[in-house]
Amino acid sequence: MNWVEGIGYLGTALTISASAMSTMIPLRIISLVASAAVITYGLLIGSMPVVLTEAIQIPFNAWRLWQMVRLVRDVETAAEGDLSLDWLKPYGTERAFAAGAALFAKGEEATTMYYVEAGCFRIPEYEIEVRAGGIVGELGLLSPGNRRTASLICTEAGRALEVPYSAVKQLYYQNPEFGFSFLKLTSERLFQSANAPVSVGGDIV
């Protein structure tokens, strides 16, 4: 085996290693290195189809790597700072609610959580108000049977970002670092909720 074949085998080994990885950031990094090795091998043996195939994959892997690194950075910043959840916006749908609108009722099946951007929302069972910057409905993801533990009513017309649990789960499974940081963020908000006044901007129910 000469050194050219060695480069080819290296690219193959790295590709197999990337396929076996379960975490996204290392997977993308190894995939980029594998593509570089395979492209080098393809150029040395004069195989343009090999070069083209790997060259097409590099931008996709680089983009996904950048997304995951940014996500982890933003979540860690939120957990260590003001607990802002602006990083969730790309994964949710902004909805407007009129005063008196009921978002969900206690006992209903829970599939989404809400990040309040404007207006005022009330949790009648606990007499708690949730205003801009508050997150509500997250505990349904953790409750037995995914049932709502309380109701939510809009008392002042406003907007809320509706984030499906499926998006949260997908982010969690894609990157354990995100999962750890998100759990830390949730725990801190739960402690805040336990000591919060009646009118708040960061409760979880």
Side-chain angles (χ1 to χ4, degrees):
M1 180 180 67
N2 57 40
W3 65 275
V4 174
E5 291 179 332
I7 294 176
Y9 284 123
L10 174 63
T12 300
L14 290 172
T15 300
I16 294 173
S17 298
S19 301
M21 290 182 174
S22 59
T23 53
M24 295 303 294
I25 290 180
L27 184 154
R28 298 297 179 184
I29 293 174
I30 297 300
S31 293
L32 288 170
V33 176
S35 292
V38 174
I39 286 174
T40 301
Y41 175 72
L43 290 172
L44 291 172
I45 65 174
S47 176
M48 293 311 298
V50 171
V51 173
L52 181 61
T53 299
E54 296 300 323
I56 292 174
Q57 294 187 54
I58 285 179
F60 291 105
N61 282 320
W63 171 251
R64 292 299 184 187
L65 174 61
W66 180 80
Q67 283 184 318
M68 295 308 300
V69 170
R70 184 185 63 175
L71 174 63
V72 171
R73 181 195 62 199
D74 290 347
V75 175
E76 289 177 346
T77 299
E80 295 174 0
D82 61 1
L83 299 182
S84 170
L85 290 180
D86 288 341
W87 54 269
L88 269 177
K89 289 184 178 180
Y91 304 97
T93 302
E94 188 177 90
R95 294 184 57 189
F97 296 95
L103 281 72
F104 55 77
K106 183 176 180 179
E108 288 182 347
E109 181 180 3
T111 58
T112 58
M113 67 181 186
Y114 295 88
Y115 175 50
V116 178
E117 297 179 318
C120 181
F121 298 79
R122 185 170 181 268
I123 304 163
E125 288 84 356
Y126 303 110
E127 298 184 354
I128 292 177
E129 289 184 347
V130 185
R131 296 183 178 274
I135 183 171
V136 62
E138 182 175 324
L139 287 188
L141 178 61
L142 307 174
S143 67
N146 293 126
R147 295 291 172 179
R148 296 294 185 190
T149 60
S151 306
L152 184 66
I153 299 173
C154 180
T155 55
E156 294 178 13
R159 302 186 316 277
L161 186 72
E162 186 178 66
V163 184
Y165 290 160
S166 58
V168 178
K169 290 179 180 178
Q170 181 182 17
L171 293 172
Y172 179 86
Y173 289 125
Q174 283 183 343
N175 196 302
E177 291 183 50
F178 160 79
F180 178 80
S181 297
F182 188 72
L183 288 175
K184 178 181 176 183
L185 181 64
T186 302
S187 298
E188 291 183 8
R189 286 186 172 276
L190 282 170
F191 282 116
Q192 285 185 341
S193 177
N195 299 305
V198 173
S199 180
V200 299
D203 281 332
I204 296 179
V205 171

